[in-house]
Amino acid sequence: MKGEVHLDHKLIPVLQPSIGQEEIDAVADVLRSGWLGLGPKTEQFEQEFAKYVGSRFAVALNSGTAALHLAMDILGIGPGDEVIVPSITFISTVHAVSYVGATPVFADIEPDTMNISPEDIKRKITDKTKAIIVVHMGGHPCDMDTIHELAHANGIKVVEDAAHACGAEYKGKKIGSISDITCFSFHAVKNLTSGEGGAITCNTEWMNRKLREKRWVGISRDTWIRSSHEKVYAWQYFVDDVGYKYHMNDMQAAIGLVQLNKLSQLNGRRKEIAARYQSELKDLEWLELPHEQPYAQSSWHLFQVKFSKESQRDRMIGHLQEHNIATGVHYYPCHLHPSYLHLKAIVPLSSEIWKRILTLPIHPNITEEDLDRIITRIREFKP
């Protein structure tokens, strides 16, 4: 018993980056190169990331939030337009709609995957609807065929928020290759991290060109292109449109390249952790576990369980906290935040289910001993 008490002193975080010497060396190489900003490493990362997901283009940015904003911007969405979003998501999904002056319309979720409900999307479409932002919650892909059919029938654009879904697959195709625009986050605790960062993948030339201008304050040619190809007029650039300072830098890209090479291995470890939870907690009648749909291969960014009663969730948080095991709630519904209460969303399942969800620790640094401890402590809980 003494050994077990001692083990409990080690905090197990719910999410954590998996960084090694290789990433540190890659950043050191960039620092020594003298080129720290948007440059050759960023370009290399874009090419390799596009190849990995199976898209024609990838545009590297400084965050997933920037990716979502630029997606709304280049699609020409603005005041008077509506964009359908799920309520259970990180707030950036919804803010991106507000950034361009459009109105977020909250759709409800499916009870099993907690992904946006195609049925409720259908109900929420009006003649003002210009786009749908779908979020692959926890890394589990949405029902994309049904959503694309709905969008096509109504002349609406689909934007994928794949912040959780780097490496996930839908019907054998990598997320990032399926829709017109897919937005990724490479935030510190995401499946692939570049410290901070993001990207948009797309398949059309005009989108790629527009995104590159918009991410670099509207300048028509970035500094790296000008300094590497021009002779006399290397100093000259033109600003065709108002843009933003949203580009990735080469230090972030250097980390991202190392992480991209490790992604299959890192996601493989997440899958193993999910499998152990599913195997060793499946007999607990008061706990509902996540499972992949037949069409999906999750990236297992999150492992979200659902309790049968609201009171059990908060008691479990306290119980695990006592044993130095961190948990999370992803997410407090966006429509309940003060800034969006005025929209008066009708999403009964989202409003109820968030009170029963809990994210268990899942990241590649978790050891088998850590899993033993987490599973033991969950199993000893008195519901």
Side-chain angles (χ1 to χ4, degrees):
M1 186 64 191
K2 280 181 185 172
E4 196 175 347
V5 171
H6 172 69
L7 273 175
D8 276 5
H9 290 315
K10 176 196 167 190
L11 174 67
I12 302 173
V14 62
L15 298 166
Q16 190 179 52
S18 186
I19 295 290
Q21 191 60 44
E22 217 181 328
E23 286 89 346
I24 295 165
D25 292 343
V27 173
D29 287 345
V30 170
L31 292 171
R32 280 191 287 266
S33 78
W35 193 288
L36 310 187
L38 174 62
K41 280 287 172 196
T42 305
E43 192 178 317
Q44 185 188 348
F45 176 75
E46 288 172 336
Q47 288 168 0
E48 294 193 16
F49 190 74
K51 187 178 173 186
Y52 172 78
V53 300
S55 66
R56 278 184 72 198
F57 306 106
V59 180
L61 306 166
N62 60 9
S63 72
T65 304
L68 289 161
H69 179 199
L70 286 188
M72 295 292 99
D73 188 304
I74 70 158
L75 290 175
I77 291 163
D81 296 336
E82 293 178 352
V83 178
I84 296 173
V85 295
S87 174
I88 305 262
T89 181
F90 185 59
I91 197 70
S92 291
T93 314
V94 187
H95 278 351
V97 180
S98 299
Y99 291 162
V100 295
T103 304
V105 173
F106 293 105
D108 220 337
I109 55 172
E110 296 188 311
D112 47 6
T113 61
M114 292 200 296
N115 281 332
I116 193 165
S117 158
E119 279 300 308
D120 206 41
I121 290 172
K122 198 174 179 180
R123 280 192 286 271
K124 302 288 167 69
I125 290 171
T126 71
D127 56 4
K128 293 181 181 177
T129 309
K130 291 294 187 293
I132 306 160
I133 304 179
V134 303
V135 178
H136 305 302
M137 176 53 63
H140 188 290
C142 296
D143 181 357
M144 292 310 300
D145 283 355
T146 307
I147 290 164
H148 278 145
E149 281 168 25
L150 260 177
H152 183 70
N154 291 276
I156 297 165
K157 295 291 184 188
V158 175
V159 174
E160 292 182 54
D161 179 342
H164 295 177
C166 201
E169 293 183 9
Y170 175 79
K171 295 190 175 178
K173 290 180 75 176
K174 283 266 190 314
I175 294 297
S177 65
I178 298 167
S179 296
D180 291 337
I181 298 185
T182 306
C183 302
F184 289 89
S185 168
F186 307 130
H187 170 267
V189 298
K190 294 299 193 291
N191 294 44
L192 184 162
T193 184
S194 59
E196 279 288 353
I200 291 183
T201 58
C202 63
N203 289 311
T204 56
E205 188 74 55
W206 75 265
M207 280 188 186
N208 177 54
R209 187 179 68 252
K210 202 75 188 157
L211 288 165
R212 287 178 191 285
E213 288 179 14
K214 288 278 187 179
R215 67 142 177 212
W216 184 217
V217 295
I219 290 174
S220 57
R221 296 182 305 161
D222 65 50
T223 312
W224 166 244
I225 295 291
R226 283 186 285 115
S227 63
S228 61
H229 299 302
E230 287 285 1
K231 300 292 183 261
V232 178
Y233 291 100
W235 54 268
Q236 188 176 33
Y237 59 80
F238 299 99
V239 178
D240 299 326
D241 203 353
V242 173
Y244 311 93
K245 192 71 163 59
Y246 278 174
H247 62 82
M248 184 179 272
N249 66 52
D250 273 20
M251 291 180 288
Q252 295 168 325
I255 299 169
L257 280 163
V258 176
Q259 287 269 303
L260 184 57
N261 287 330
K262 291 182 178 179
L263 185 58
S264 294
Q265 170 200 331
L266 296 174
N267 280 353
R269 179 59 187 148
R270 288 173 179 272
K271 195 175 181 73
E272 288 170 6
I273 292 163
R276 263 205 77 184
Y277 282 144
Q278 285 163 332
S279 165
E280 297 183 43
L281 299 174
K282 65 184 177 190
D283 61 316
L284 300 176
E285 290 175 8
W286 43 272
L287 200 64
E288 183 188 329
L289 306 177
H291 290 283
E292 291 169 317
Q293 296 299 312
Y295 58 75
Q297 191 169 309
S298 180
S299 59
W300 292 111
H301 174 60
L302 303 176
F303 191 91
Q304 295 171 289
V305 298
K306 302 183 193 81
F307 292 85
S308 52
K309 296 178 190 158
E310 288 175 25
S311 60
Q312 294 166 341
R313 194 268 304 273
D314 293 344
R315 283 175 46 231
M316 179 66 88
I317 291 172
H319 168 68
L320 293 177
Q321 217 164 29
E322 282 172 20
H323 297 287
N324 257 342
I325 299 165
T327 54
V329 174
H330 298 91
Y331 295 91
Y332 182 76
C334 294
H335 74 281
L336 296 179
H337 285 296
S339 56
Y340 290 110
L341 273 175
H342 67 283
L343 295 175
K344 298 182 169 50
I346 301 167
V347 282
L349 192 54
S350 301
S351 301
E352 184 273 327
I353 213 166
W354 78 268
K355 300 168 188 170
R356 299 188 287 111
I357 57 175
L358 189 67
T359 302
L360 301 183
I362 183 162
H363 52 83
N365 306 337
I366 291 176
T367 65
E368 292 305 310
E369 291 74 24
D370 293 338
L371 279 174
D372 291 342
R373 187 170 128 211
I374 296 162
I375 289 162
T376 299
R377 294 306 182 190
I378 291 171
R379 292 192 66 83
E380 72 186 16
F381 178 75
K382 301 288 187 289

